Amino acid sequence: MDNMANLEKQSETQKSQKQRSAKPASDLPIAWSCSDIIKAIKLYDDKDSNVQSELSRAMGEHSCAMIDKNSLTNNYPDFINDIYLKNLIDESTNNLDKPIFTSVSTDSRTITDNQLFIALKGERFDGHLFIPDLVNRGIKGFVVEKSFYKTLSYEQKKAHMFIFPVNDTLTALGMLARFQRIRSNVKLLAITGSSGKTTTRKMAASIFEQHFKTLSTEGNLNNEIGLPLTLLKLTRKHEWAVVEMGMNHKGEISRLSAIALPDIAMVTNTTDAHLEGLGTVNDVARAKAEITEGMNPGSTLIINRDDPRWQIIADKAKKHPNISNTLFFGSNRCVGMDRDPVMHIDSGMHIDSGMHIDSGMHIDSGTHINLGMHINSRINIEYRMDNSSEQKIEKNHFSATDVIFNQDSITFTLQSNMPAIDNNHDCHKNLKIRTPAPFMLYNAIAASAAALIAGIPASAIQKGLLMFEPAAGRMKIINLGQYRKKQDRDINLGQYQTKQDRDRYNTRNRDTIQNIDTIQDIDICQNIDSIQNIDSNQVRDRKNNQHEFGNSLYLIDDTYNANPGSVKAALETLQKLGRGKKSIAILADMLELGEQSPKLHFKIGQEASKLALSKLYLHGNMVSELVLGALESGFSKEKIMHGTKEEIIVDLLDYIQKGEKKEDIWILVKGSRGMKMEQIVEALMTLKQQQIT
């Protein structure tokens, strides 16, 4: 069956699902009986491979098959021998299907007496240690590891509790979530990728919510604990779940896919992220491709064909017969061609550019065009064809045309060559996302593609994209306004680091930089030496005696996380938005890059040097590599400052105050999660709170 026929069939399935959803249902998570729990956690303890298929056959649309005492004992004798049946069986009805637990919890602080507690165990915590206190608080149900269960006395086992011993409680959590996902009868979209997965998930959820009762991942609950906890919130009313899958080691996405059983799965891209646990960027692609392993029969996989490693994922999909469709999004490109893309405007002029389109471009004649700001040109992203080549342009299933970049948004037309999905192409026009970041266009195309495959009309896509708003730390653009002198302005910076932390940081980086032969003749340590002479009183004096300044400040908060791909994209966004204005980058370490970390930080220094930055601030253990990359590519040493977060902010405020009046300044803040660069954003936000009108 070809892609078109498969998608037509899938569209009909979505319509029938909508009709089924009309049945009365509850807004509460599906409750748990003892038989539910036993069957769910038995799936991985049992050596019989038919258990999983028997479970699926036994499941009705909205209910689990009834199981009585004799059936349970006969089918699961080894498991039941470990459990005191009299504590599990309702003596009056002699069955185990009476709902007992309203939901599942792993948090001993917030659990209620009608929830089932799963005692997770990690390197720095052990939920089993809280069980005695929970018993005293009236908690009656526990999923515990067998090693803990064996330590209980006969009297403890006979207590009025429901104890379910398992080999591994984390695996049991996943199987409970899988059970919940199956019996809820929802369809599921799963999204993974090195960068952009959270934004794409938020966009997709915003769209799906316009048409379906949708559950989606909250916050960063995308790992082997977070994903199951998300799925355990499923109710009878939910029709779709939109979930995010993260990882930093091989095998994690495979396990998450086996739990979630995606009907639609998507890989946004693969880049140099989590190399410490994976090795090479190709290994990253292979790990992301594991999302194919748990996909449901008749499912669809969506791949970014502008990703250099898309073929690795596509080849993996061919090995899984459950995947009926493999579809692509991105620019319409010539497959296998390594040349840079070209932007075409209706006038016939060609503007050389990278994949990320700048709002201001220079044509060879020297004429300056500000795309999306003063003209409404038709822009198509494609690849220049070499007439001598036999290569063919292979169009993606989903792409964007008529792209217009504005200072605070992007508008575009969604191009689809899958007419069976939605023939209302007029509604594909004038789609808008409220962010100017060029790479966000890829996220919007991907989310829209998933929505069309799910049978969502284009009008709902329009509304969902318009309602999307970037989360804090994820390319969030903040207008800090114009600021003037205010005596005794107190920006609380000292809370972020102790003097001991600052001294340790300064000593480490000074020693590192002074040992680099290539820059020994450069007075790069002058900033560190001057910083070490500033005590807390001097810092306070400098904060409280600021000069008047009236600059318009714009902050790009992209602090949630960082890898080489996302940092490069963020720098390109800064370049676009800050063109013709002052632009400042504040960068910190990219973590979990393993042995390749020095090289990759060096490359980021090179990337930063290509921009017309007014100032480059650096923080972290990899400062020396960033500095080397920037300097060797011609960046001025006078524009570089590195230090602690507090010292960077003090220097930044001094720099802003010395600027010309009414001069716009764009500031990018970017770093890995562990670097906590949001502290700089919080400090700068105090300027907005103390603004004088």
Side-chain angles (χ1 to χ4, degrees):
M1 186 180 294
D2 59 19
N3 283 343
M4 193 74 71
N6 282 330
L7 288 168
E8 287 174 344
K9 182 177 179 181
Q10 191 167 353
S11 179
E12 290 301 316
T13 301
Q14 301 305 327
K15 291 178 182 177
S16 63
Q17 184 186 8
K18 284 290 287 182
Q19 295 171 354
R20 291 198 305 270
S21 69
K23 298 180 180 181
S26 171
D27 283 322
L28 298 175
I30 305 171
W32 293 85
S33 67
C34 286
S35 63
D36 294 334
I37 298 167
I38 292 171
K39 284 188 290 184
I41 60 181
K42 182 61 178 171
L43 290 182
Y44 81 94
D45 268 342
D46 203 296
K47 296 180 181 180
D48 184 358
S49 60
N50 294 323
V51 169
Q52 181 176 320
S53 58
E54 288 174 2
L55 168 66
S56 299
R57 285 197 299 269
M59 303 277 286
E61 276 191 15
H62 285 167
S63 63
C64 176
M66 299 294 286
I67 244 181
D68 59 23
K69 174 181 177 180
N70 293 331
S71 174
L72 190 64
T73 305
N74 293 334
N75 288 328
Y76 308 114
D78 295 335
F79 189 79
I80 295 305
N81 284 341
D82 279 338
I83 303 175
Y84 284 80
L85 284 176
K86 64 180 179 180
N87 290 336
L88 298 176
I89 298 176
D90 185 324
E91 299 291 349
S92 62
T93 61
N94 199 36
N95 76 67
L96 302 174
D97 290 276
K98 178 180 178 180
I100 298 175
F101 306 105
T102 58
S103 57
V104 175
S105 175
T106 60
D107 192 337
S108 62
R109 298 165 299 178
T110 61
I111 190 171
T112 60
D113 58 8
N114 55 3
Q115 289 181 301
L116 175 71
F117 180 70
I118 302 183
L120 296 180
K121 187 176 182 179
E123 293 181 1
R124 292 176 292 181
F125 65 90
D126 185 352
H128 298 85
L129 300 177
F130 301 103
I131 290 179
D133 177 63
L134 293 177
V135 171
N136 293 333
R137 287 164 49 188
I139 308 302
K140 296 180 176 62
F142 301 90
V143 176
V144 302
E145 294 192 355
K146 289 180 178 178
S147 58
F148 172 82
Y149 181 73
K150 292 176 181 178
T151 67
L152 298 178
S153 66
Y154 178 79
E155 289 73 20
Q156 288 173 317
K157 291 178 180 179
K158 286 182 61 179
H160 189 63
M161 294 185 298
F162 301 89
I163 303 178
F164 303 89
V166 297
N167 291 330
D168 179 78
T169 50
L170 179 60
T171 304
L173 174 66
M175 297 315 298
L176 288 166
R178 176 191 174 103
F179 187 91
Q180 188 87 325
R181 182 260 186 272
I182 293 173
R183 66 174 177 170
S184 68
N185 202 38
V186 300
K187 294 290 184 179
L188 187 139
L189 164 63
I191 301 169
T192 192
S194 296
S195 56
K197 57 183 175 290
T198 298
T199 298
T200 304
R201 183 260 302 166
K202 285 177 66 68
M203 286 183 178
S206 181
I207 295 170
F208 275 66
E209 287 166 359
Q210 308 307 314
H211 196 67
F212 294 112
K213 178 70 173 178
T214 304
L215 174 72
S216 65
T217 301
E218 296 179 359
N220 61 348
L221 296 178
N222 61 10
N223 60 13
E224 292 186 80
I225 297 176
L227 175 73
L229 290 177
T230 296
L231 295 180
L232 286 167
K233 295 178 181 179
L234 284 166
T235 71
R236 302 291 189 193
K237 285 190 174 182
H238 283 120
E239 300 167 279
W240 272 88
V242 178
V243 300
E244 178 183 335
M245 295 182 180
M247 63 92 197
N248 53 24
H249 286 84
K250 179 181 177 181
E252 288 182 74
I253 296 294
S254 177
R255 293 189 289 273
L256 294 178
S257 183
I259 293 168
L261 306 172
D263 296 289
I264 303 174
M266 177 192 304
V267 182
T268 59
N269 53 53
T270 62
T271 63
D272 298 301
H274 304 299
L275 296 182
E276 190 173 54
L278 292 165
T280 69
V281 69
N282 283 348
D283 291 328
V284 172
R286 295 184 187 98
K288 296 297 184 183
E290 292 172 4
I291 199 170
T292 61
E293 296 177 8
M295 295 180 68
N296 265 338
S299 54
T300 297
L301 176 66
I302 305 173
I303 305 173
N304 178 358
R305 191 149 51 184
D306 290 344
D307 184 337
R309 290 157 290 279
W310 68 268
Q311 191 70 58
I312 293 175
I313 303 166
D315 289 344
K316 177 80 170 181
K318 294 176 183 177
K319 300 178 182 179
H320 296 282
N322 281 356
I323 301 174
S324 297
N325 310 298
T326 298
L327 305 179
F328 299 95
F329 73 94
S331 60
N332 288 331
R333 58 172 291 178
C334 180
V335 176
M337 182 160 54
D338 295 328
R339 298 185 64 178
D340 289 336
V342 182
M343 189 183 304
H344 293 273
I345 299 183
D346 281 346
S347 63
M349 295 182 293
H350 290 181
I351 305 175
D352 291 332
S353 71
M355 280 310 303
H356 300 286
I357 308 169
D358 289 334
S359 62
M361 295 289 181
H362 291 275
I363 306 177
D364 291 340
S365 64
T367 305
H368 184 269
I369 294 182
N370 198 342
L371 298 176
M373 304 295 284
H374 303 295
I375 61 173
N376 291 321
S377 300
R378 178 182 177 85
I379 305 169
N380 293 290
I381 310 173
E382 28 183 81
Y383 277 69
R384 180 179 287 149
M385 193 68 179
D386 185 349
N387 293 331
S388 64
S389 172
E390 297 182 357
Q391 294 168 321
K392 297 180 180 179
I393 291 181
E394 186 171 340
K395 289 188 175 181
N396 286 309
H397 300 96
F398 306 95
S399 57
T401 60
D402 303 319
V403 182
I404 300 175
F405 291 92
N406 303 295
Q407 183 165 307
D408 60 353
S409 64
I410 303 172
T411 59
F412 66 99
T413 295
L414 180 64
Q415 189 73 33
S416 168
N417 67 354
M418 305 293 291
I421 295 178
D422 190 332
N423 291 314
N424 190 0
H425 293 292
D426 287 339
C427 289
H428 295 176
K429 297 179 180 179
N430 298 319
L431 300 181
K432 182 177 181 179
I433 53 176
R434 294 189 293 177
T435 173
F439 63 88
M440 289 284 198
L441 181 59
Y442 276 90
N443 301 333
I445 296 170
S448 301
L452 288 176
I453 294 168
I456 298 176
S459 57
I461 295 176
Q462 283 181 317
K463 185 177 179 181
L465 286 178
L466 192 58
M467 293 181 67
F468 162 78
E469 184 172 347
R474 300 180 188 272
M475 199 49 62
K476 180 82 170 180
I477 295 177
I478 305 166
N479 184 348
L480 296 177
Q482 292 186 334
Y483 302 91
R484 301 179 180 88
K485 178 181 178 182
K486 180 177 180 180
Q487 295 293 337
D488 300 324
R489 175 179 286 141
D490 182 18
I491 301 176
N492 190 7
L493 310 178
Q495 62 179 313
Y496 300 134
Q497 287 128 345
T498 65
K499 186 176 186 302
Q500 182 181 6
D501 291 335
R502 293 196 296 272
D503 291 343
R504 183 166 57 251
Y505 170 85
N506 291 333
T507 301
R508 179 179 61 245
N509 283 283
R510 180 176 56 186
D511 293 342
T512 301
I513 291 173
Q514 286 179 333
N515 288 329
I516 299 175
D517 294 337
T518 56
I519 59 171
Q520 279 188 348
D521 58 335
I522 299 174
D523 189 18
I524 196 64
C525 298
Q526 59 183 346
N527 288 321
I528 291 179
D529 293 334
S530 61
I531 286 169
Q532 286 186 321
N533 293 325
I534 301 175
D535 62 24
S536 59
N537 291 327
Q538 289 175 302
V539 170
R540 187 176 302 109
D541 290 341
R542 293 175 70 177
K543 289 186 291 183
N544 293 339
N545 292 282
Q546 298 178 14
H547 301 292
E548 180 176 348
F549 61 103
N551 310 85
S552 293
L553 303 179
Y554 297 90
L555 181 63
I556 305 175
D557 176 10
D558 203 29
T559 57
Y560 182 77
N561 217 336
N563 59 53
S566 67
V567 174
K568 183 178 178 181
L571 287 170
E572 289 171 346
T573 299
L574 175 64
Q575 181 186 37
K576 182 179 81 72
L577 297 175
R579 188 178 296 275
K581 313 172 184 71
K582 280 192 174 181
S583 57
I584 298 170
I586 305 175
L587 305 179
D589 289 355
M590 304 173 292
L591 304 179
E592 298 185 23
L593 295 180
E595 294 179 355
Q596 297 190 47
S597 183
K599 178 181 71 174
L600 294 172
H601 280 86
F602 180 87
K603 287 183 177 181
I604 290 299
Q606 291 180 313
E607 291 294 331
S609 72
K610 298 176 184 178
L611 310 182
L613 293 176
S614 304
K615 193 84 172 181
L616 176 61
Y617 290 96
L618 303 172
H619 169 70
N621 294 331
M622 301 304 296
V623 161
S624 58
E625 298 299 330
L626 289 164
V627 169
L628 271 177
L631 293 179
E632 290 193 7
S633 298
F635 195 77
S636 171
K637 68 177 184 293
E638 286 79 16
K639 294 182 179 181
I640 300 175
M641 185 269 174
H642 48 89
T644 66
K645 283 173 273 191
E646 181 179 40
E647 294 156 352
I648 286 174
I649 296 172
V650 171
D651 189 90
L652 173 64
L653 294 180
D654 284 345
Y655 178 79
I656 292 172
Q657 293 159 19
K658 295 174 183 176
E660 297 295 328
K661 299 294 188 294
K662 297 182 179 179
E663 183 179 28
D664 287 355
I665 299 177
W666 283 82
I667 304 169
L668 166 69
V669 187
K670 180 75 172 171
S672 278
R673 179 90 299 272
M675 301 305 294
K676 299 182 180 180
M677 294 300 283
E678 70 276 5
Q679 293 172 347
I680 288 182
V681 173
E682 292 165 3
L684 293 175
M685 286 295 291
T686 63
L687 293 175
K688 186 175 181 66
Q689 296 167 3
Q690 298 170 9
Q691 181 177 359
I692 301 176
T693 58

